[in-house]
Amino acid sequence: MIVGIDAGGTLIKVAYTENESLQFIKFPIAEMDRVASWVNEQSDSKVCVTGGKAGVLLSLLNQEAREIVEFEATHLGVKFLLARMERQEESYLVTNVGTGTSIHCIENDRQERIGGTGVGGGTLLGLSHLLTGVTDYEEIVRMASAGSRDRIDLKVKHIYEGKEPPISGELTASNFGNNLFAVAGELSKEELLATVIGLVGETVSTVSVHAAKQCGCSTIIYIGSSFFHNPLLKEVVTSYTLLRGATPLFLENGEFSGAVGAMSLL
Ligand code: ATP
Ligand code: MG
């Protein structure tokens, strides 16, 4: 068996081949012992690990394993998953919305990390919990899909009252910037969660579009588990990326890019 593991700040992503077919599984970082035991039970396996917690995982393995730098693994994995989707892209930006967000420019088959933001999936979980008490990721994204941001976000058109704004009135002028003091007590969890996802989505797409301009590419490939089962985040990121003149692309199983890239080295 060939196994690639990306042990990140929040989740461990595992990609492996079984009977020639590619399998994917995720575990919370708290279950690292379980992942290590599973790997240790496999006979005749080749293993390559990556991610910020790769060192900790390696220390729990009984067998030799390779290690690869996370950014290289992600680059290789994105190439593999793009080919699997029969896409021809050669130069593009990769925005990995993990616990934090990391942005990479891919050109001439080489990746360069050009920036990032601390606003990412960890922000989504943390702010959601502080504002609503909800802790479960799946519950957060499900409730957010039923919420509206209208009472919490301030749009450009709200500021330019009775006047044509110089930029799209639909852009957010201020996340959480509407007249909150009047309605704070009556806001629903759904509204608050939708607005948190709006903040994360608009921040990562705005930073990405600037980065794409800087490196002269128009396609932005978004990956990371923050998009998993999260249609609202995808929608916010898609519309903001398009509105700002770039083309978004979501990879199937994109959150496994690092794991697949690590596996592809074996
Ligand atoms: P990093 O790359 O920053 O070290 P990571 O690789 O662990 O972190 P990802 O797995 O890409 O990051 O994404 C983590 C985010 O995905 C979480 O912050 C959360 O928003 C979201 N997420 C998706 N599924 C889950 C889940 N089952 N439990 C917790 N968070 C989840
Ligand atoms: Mg990661």
Side-chain angles (χ1 to χ4, degrees):
M1 188 189 284
I2 295 178
V3 187
I5 306 177
D6 173 9
T10 307
L11 299 172
I12 303 174
K13 280 74 62 183
V14 181
Y16 64 96
T17 49
E18 194 167 50
N19 306 325
E20 312 270 302
S21 92
L22 186 53
Q23 308 288 330
F24 301 112
I25 6 170
K26 280 193 214 88
F27 301 85
I29 197 71
E31 291 182 18
M32 191 179 286
D33 284 344
R34 225 179 112 201
V35 177
S37 308
W38 177 79
V39 174
N40 289 335
E41 277 163 20
Q42 309 303 318
S43 52
D44 259 357
S45 59
K46 284 188 184 166
V47 183
C48 181
V49 297
T50 191
K53 305 266 191 223
V56 187
L57 179 62
L58 276 175
S59 71
L60 299 173
L61 298 182
N62 295 339
Q63 66 176 94
E64 290 277 306
R66 283 188 69 172
E67 184 176 1
I68 173 178
V69 176
E70 175 178 359
F71 302 152
E72 274 315 315
T74 304
H75 166 48
L76 292 173
V78 167
K79 257 174 52 176
F80 179 95
L81 294 171
L82 268 176
R84 216 170 175 229
M85 286 170 72
E86 299 183 0
R87 304 284 311 203
Q88 316 294 332
E89 277 76 5
E90 285 184 350
S91 106
Y92 45 84
L93 199 80
V94 172
T95 295
N96 186 357
V97 188
T99 311
T101 299
S102 191
I103 301 177
H104 309 259
C105 181
I106 314 299
E107 250 174 346
N108 302 322
D109 210 18
R110 293 190 51 223
Q111 76 81 26
E112 185 189 358
R113 185 180 189 275
I114 52 170
T117 163
V119 176
T123 315
L124 193 166
L125 290 178
L127 271 185
S128 294
H129 176 63
L130 286 175
L131 289 172
T132 66
V134 181
T135 46
D136 181 63
Y137 171 78
E138 297 273 351
E139 197 180 350
I140 289 169
V141 295
R142 187 177 43 74
M143 288 173 74
S145 285
S148 159
R149 300 161 57 191
D150 285 355
R151 295 204 291 176
I152 310 180
D153 281 347
L154 188 72
K155 287 190 171 182
V156 169
K157 69 180 180 195
H158 296 136
I159 298 183
Y160 279 78
E161 221 179 322
K163 200 166 162 247
E164 196 57 38
I167 50 173
S168 167
E170 285 307 312
L171 286 168
T172 306
S174 178
N175 297 87
F176 285 88
N178 211 342
N179 189 10
L180 282 184
F181 300 133
V183 293
E186 55 187 65
L187 294 170
S188 67
K189 290 183 178 179
E190 285 79 1
E191 285 174 286
L192 290 161
L193 294 172
T195 314
V196 169
I197 291 191
L199 167 75
V200 173
E202 291 180 1
T203 304
V204 301
S205 46
T206 301
V207 176
S208 300
V209 172
H210 286 302
K213 284 199 180 122
Q214 182 190 325
C215 61
C217 43
S218 58
T219 300
I220 303 174
I221 297 182
Y222 290 100
I223 60 169
S225 310
S226 307
F227 295 106
F228 181 70
H229 283 179
N230 196 346
L232 183 59
L233 185 65
K234 281 186 171 171
E235 191 186 305
V236 172
V237 165
T238 299
S239 62
Y240 238 62
T241 304
L242 290 171
L243 190 70
R244 289 169 172 264
T247 308
L249 176 63
F250 295 93
L251 290 188
E252 281 159 33
N253 299 116
E255 69 271 31
F256 290 96
S257 299
V260 168
M263 206 186 81
S264 71
L265 276 187
L266 296 167

